[in-house]
Amino acid sequence: MIPKIAVIIGSVRPTRFADKPAQWFLDIASTREDLEVELVDLRDFDLPFFAEKASNLWMPSEDPRAVAWQQKIGEFDGYVWITAEYNHSITGSMKNALDQAYKEWVHKPVGAVGYGGVGGARAVEHLRAIAVELQMVPVRNAVHIGAGEFMKVSPSGKDLPMSEISEIIEPSAKGLLDDIVWWAKATKAARG
């Protein structure tokens, strides 16, 4: 029972940094034999702002873009979001994507790779609070790319490859993946 995990890019900005840590994390996850991993990019879904009559927990969504998103994320046993920190929280596109589904998230683990001034810590904490309301299982470990490391790899800094900071943040990535795999197996077994 190998869990299938989505690595979701939570920003749609044309100038986003998220692609770089997403690929780095995907490369680490792909070396493991205890999970399947797939990159999911919010840009590929053109989600409208949430405007359904109710959450899909209560009634089916009508917008085909929301339905396509729900079907995609329903394929997975767990999720790792790549999130920037905007004004002490997650991106608006990420919050909208979380709101566009409900029953697909239930009883599945979620973690994060955050970046920004304090390593995206406030965004990761907001994601955890939202995840609880969506009946997900937020995991303890996360990857935090803080100001010093961020400025080494960001285009607004030195724009070095992620390998320049990997030694510092890779142990957190391994801890996050261990958590996600353990909880994905547990929750998948419980869901039947």
Side-chain angles (χ1 to χ4, degrees):
M1 181 175 78
I2 295 177
K4 187 174 180 183
I5 307 300
V7 175
I8 307 173
I9 298 178
S11 173
V12 296
R13 284 179 50 227
T15 59
R16 71 184 182 192
F17 169 70
D19 297 286
K20 202 169 184 176
Q23 189 59 57
W24 169 83
F25 188 80
L26 190 68
D27 290 345
I28 290 171
S30 296
T31 66
R32 295 179 63 126
E33 295 180 6
D34 58 350
L35 61 86
E36 287 181 44
V37 66
E38 181 180 329
L39 187 66
V40 177
D41 192 338
L42 289 186
R43 284 183 183 164
D44 295 336
F45 290 89
D46 187 31
L47 288 171
F49 283 117
F50 181 78
E52 298 291 334
K53 292 174 184 162
S55 161
N56 76 335
L57 179 65
W58 306 110
M59 64 177 35
S61 297
E62 294 176 1
D63 192 304
R65 296 169 294 177
V67 172
W69 170 247
Q70 293 160 4
Q71 290 171 343
K72 184 61 181 175
I73 63 168
E75 297 175 9
F76 299 98
D77 302 306
Y79 311 92
V80 175
W81 284 88
I82 309 299
T83 183
E85 182 171 311
Y86 291 177
N87 299 317
H88 290 208
S89 192
I90 61 176
T91 67
S93 56
M94 189 169 154
K95 177 64 167 84
N96 186 53
L98 286 158
D99 290 344
Q100 293 284 358
Y102 192 106
K103 60 185 183 179
E104 294 78 12
W105 303 122
V106 173
H107 300 149
K108 296 178 183 178
V110 62
V113 175
Y115 56 90
V118 291
R122 295 167 292 211
V124 171
E125 286 306 307
H126 279 190
L127 172 60
R128 287 175 174 148
I130 295 163
V132 167
E133 181 59 28
L134 293 171
Q135 301 184 55
M136 298 176 81
V137 181
V139 301
R140 179 189 179 278
N141 286 296
V143 177
H144 297 281
I145 305 171
E149 284 76 37
F150 179 70
M151 291 310 291
K152 289 177 187 173
V153 295
S154 168
S156 59
K158 295 180 180 178
D159 202 19
L160 297 171
M162 290 294 291
S163 59
E164 291 294 318
I165 64 168
S166 192
E167 184 178 340
I168 296 165
I169 61 174
E170 191 169 333
S172 296
K174 290 179 179 177
L176 169 56
L177 286 164
D178 288 345
D179 285 354
I180 289 287
V181 168
W182 193 93
W183 281 106
K185 287 180 178 178
T187 57
K188 186 173 182 175
R191 288 191 317 270

